[in-house]
Amino acid sequence: MTVSAVHRRSLPLLTTEQIGALKPELADVIEYRKSGLSLNHVIGCPLECGYCVRHLFDNFEMKTPKRLMTDEAAVEALVSHPYFRPHRTPIQLFNRATDPMLPVVKPHLFAVLQQLDDRGLTNHILVITRWRVDAEDCAVLNSFQNLRITVLVTHSGIEDPAIEPVNSAHAADSLRMLYEHAERYRTILYWRPIVPGLNDSDEHIERARELSLHAHATVFTGLFFRDEIKDYYEGHGLPVPYDDTARRKIMPEQAEQRILAAFDAAQQPGAAPWGTLFRKTSCGVAYAHGEADYNGHYGVRELCDICPREQVARCAGAWVKPDPDEVVRAARALGAIGDVEINDRAIVVEGLDEPPRYYLQHGFGYQCHDRAKPHLYRQHGRAPIGWEAENGPYPA
C-alpha cells in the first residue's frame, strides 16, 4: 500500500491576505513542543472539542481545514529549521490546529510522511488523532521504511456532547484497528484529558484498562486549561472544572492516585490485566519502540515508579549527565543568562523560552528546566492545582 492509494484532491491554500489575518503563532507552521518539533501547515477542524488548544489561536470557529503552504514547502521548512536535527529531533504532525486523520487532511499527512521517509530520516514521528482509522490507513503507515512512527489515539470517555461532541467509540475502534495491524509503527492509548468528576469514575478507569490491552503503551494526563478555554466554557454554559487556569496541564493528586491504585490492583494475582502505563508522552513512545526516553525523564526519578523494570534499566543506561562546558556553550549560544546549573535531575537555565530549552533537552537527552518555573517534586511538571503544598520541595 502506498500513499497514492489514498490520494484525494488537495486542500485549498490560504491567500497571503488570509494568512496575514491569522494570529502570528498560527501562521507560523513550526512550533517546538516538549514532545517534538511540531509541523502544522493545515489548520481548521470540525470536531469542536471544547477543551481544544485551538482556542489559544483564535481559530476554533475555523471548521474547514485549509493549507498555509504546500506539503513540499512545509517539509522543507521543517528539515531546514534551525532546531531540526536529522534522526534525533522528535516530530509531531498536525497536532495543534486540526486532526491528522480527517479524510481531507489524511492525504497531506501521508504525503509529508512519505517525503520525510524518502529522505532516509529515522526521527520519531508522533501523530495524534481521535478520529477514524481503517485498515487501509494502517497499511500506509506500515509502508514507511525509516521513520519511527507512533500513532497516539486520544480517548477521554467524556460523555457530555457539549464538551466533546466526538463519540469516544471512534477512538476506541481506531485504537483496536491500529494495534491489530501494527507492524512498523506503534500505537498508544492517549488517555486524556482526565478531569475529576467528569471522566474519572470507576467505570471510566475500567474502560481505560480494557483499552490499554490494545496499545503498545498507555499515557494518562490531565486538562490543559488556559484563560481562553475557560472563557469558552463560561460563554457556552459548560461546567468549569477548575476555579483557576494554569500554563501547565492540571492533573490533581487525588485523580492520579485513584488511577494508580487501580493500576496497582491489576498487578495482583488473579486480577484483570492492565497495559503498560506512563505519565509522560515521550516515556510511552520510547517504551513502545524499545528505546530510552528521549526527554531524559529518568532524572526526575519519581516519574519512574510505575515504569516496567526493563524500561527503567534502559533509560538508566542511556541517561548521562552532560559535560558542563558543552551545556554552558550551547545554552549561551541560545541566549541563556545567569548561572547554568546541571544537577541530578535537570539542566537549569534562565532567560530561555520553551523552544530553546526543548532543543537542549533533546540534544543532551537530559531534562532542561527554567529556574523561574521549577518542576516541583512529585507534581511531574504539572500545574500546582490539586496538590498539597508539602509535595512541592525536592527531597533533601
Side-chain angles (χ1 to χ4, degrees):
M1 184 69 63
T2 63
V3 172
S4 61
V6 292
H7 177 73
R8 293 182 176 87
R9 188 174 66 178
S10 295
L11 288 171
L13 288 162
L14 292 175
T15 65
T16 302
E17 183 179 14
Q18 289 172 323
I19 293 174
L22 298 173
K23 210 169 182 179
E25 300 94 322
L26 190 64
D28 186 354
V29 302
I30 299 176
E31 177 189 14
Y32 212 154
R33 295 182 152 196
K34 184 178 180 183
S35 289
L37 204 56
S38 178
L39 179 63
N40 297 278
H41 65 287
V42 174
I43 61 175
C45 181
L47 300 186
E48 297 190 308
C49 304
Y51 49 78
C52 183
V53 295
R54 291 188 298 124
H55 290 296
L56 278 59
F57 302 103
D58 294 338
N59 80 314
F60 189 75
E61 298 307 318
M62 185 185 292
K63 308 302 182 187
T64 303
K66 292 183 173 62
R67 287 183 298 163
L68 291 138
M69 60 178 64
T70 66
D71 300 331
E72 293 77 11
V75 169
E76 185 57 37
L78 176 67
V79 300
S80 62
H81 193 279
Y83 287 156
F84 176 77
R85 295 182 178 98
H87 314 297
R88 183 149 196 174
T89 304
I91 298 167
Q92 296 176 307
L93 298 178
F94 301 146
N95 67 312
R96 186 182 69 181
T98 192
D99 189 296
M101 297 309 295
L102 292 172
V104 295
V105 179
K106 186 165 45 178
H108 297 283
L109 168 70
F110 291 156
V112 168
L113 288 171
Q114 187 67 69
Q115 291 179 48
L116 293 172
D117 196 64
D118 287 346
R119 292 171 181 256
L121 296 170
T122 59
N123 299 64
H124 277 291
I125 307 288
L126 279 63
V127 177
I128 304 171
T129 184
R130 65 174 65 250
W131 198 237
R132 297 183 177 95
V133 178
D134 58 31
E136 187 178 1
D137 300 328
C138 296
V140 175
L141 291 167
N142 279 320
S143 71
F144 302 111
Q145 298 299 305
N146 302 299
L147 301 171
R148 288 171 286 175
I149 298 172
T150 307
V151 184
L152 300 98
V153 180
T154 296
H155 182 279
S156 70
I158 293 174
E159 296 161 358
D160 186 342
I163 297 174
E164 187 170 300
V166 181
N167 192 324
S168 287
H170 296 326
D173 291 343
S174 293
L175 185 75
R176 294 189 190 94
M177 175 68 69
L178 284 158
Y179 187 65
E180 178 184 351
H181 291 86
E183 295 173 8
R184 298 193 59 85
Y185 67 85
R186 293 293 178 264
T187 191
I188 284 178
L189 169 59
Y190 218 8
W191 183 14
R192 65 167 194 169
I194 297 168
V195 182
L198 183 62
N199 64 335
D200 69 333
S201 68
D202 291 344
E203 291 76 15
H204 285 103
I205 293 174
E206 172 59 18
R207 181 63 168 155
R209 184 201 66 76
E210 293 173 352
L211 288 174
S212 74
L213 303 177
H214 300 275
H216 297 101
T218 295
V219 176
F220 72 100
T221 189
L223 177 66
F224 192 54
F225 196 56
R226 289 284 186 89
D227 290 340
E228 296 88 343
I229 298 174
K230 183 180 181 182
D231 290 344
Y232 177 83
Y233 273 53
E234 292 175 339
H236 288 75
L238 300 177
V240 178
Y242 302 105
D243 293 334
D244 298 319
T245 58
R247 60 177 293 273
R248 292 171 173 159
K249 290 178 182 175
I250 303 172
M251 182 70 187
E253 182 178 17
Q254 287 189 353
E256 178 180 275
Q257 291 306 310
R258 291 191 69 248
I259 291 167
L260 295 185
F263 178 71
D264 289 343
Q267 314 310 312
Q268 303 305 312
W274 193 304
T276 311
L277 190 67
F278 296 92
R279 292 183 174 99
K280 295 295 185 180
T281 302
S282 62
C283 297
V285 169
Y287 172 78
H289 287 270
E291 302 173 7
D293 172 40
Y294 55 78
N295 265 317
H297 281 119
Y298 181 75
V300 187
R301 205 61 50 83
E302 68 270 17
L303 278 170
C304 307
D305 62 2
I306 62 173
C307 300
R309 290 182 179 179
E310 67 270 22
Q311 183 64 14
V312 174
R314 187 178 290 133
C315 291
W319 187 80
V320 178
K321 184 180 287 190
D323 178 81
D325 292 337
E326 286 188 42
V327 172
V328 170
R329 280 196 299 269
R332 292 279 184 258
L334 293 169
I337 59 175
D339 292 337
V340 177
E341 174 192 354
I342 307 173
N343 58 43
D344 289 336
R345 295 171 71 92
I347 300 166
V348 182
V349 296
E350 296 178 31
L352 295 183
D353 290 335
E354 290 177 345
R357 293 205 308 275
Y358 297 154
Y359 179 74
L360 291 173
Q361 186 162 290
H362 294 144
F364 290 107
Y366 207 87
Q367 283 280 289
C368 184
H369 298 168
D370 183 349
R371 183 169 285 113
K373 303 179 182 73
H375 286 220
L376 300 180
Y377 181 63
R378 291 190 62 242
Q379 291 183 25
H380 314 306
R382 298 166 178 160
I385 296 170
W387 289 82
E388 297 295 334
E390 58 263 33
N391 289 324
Y394 291 150

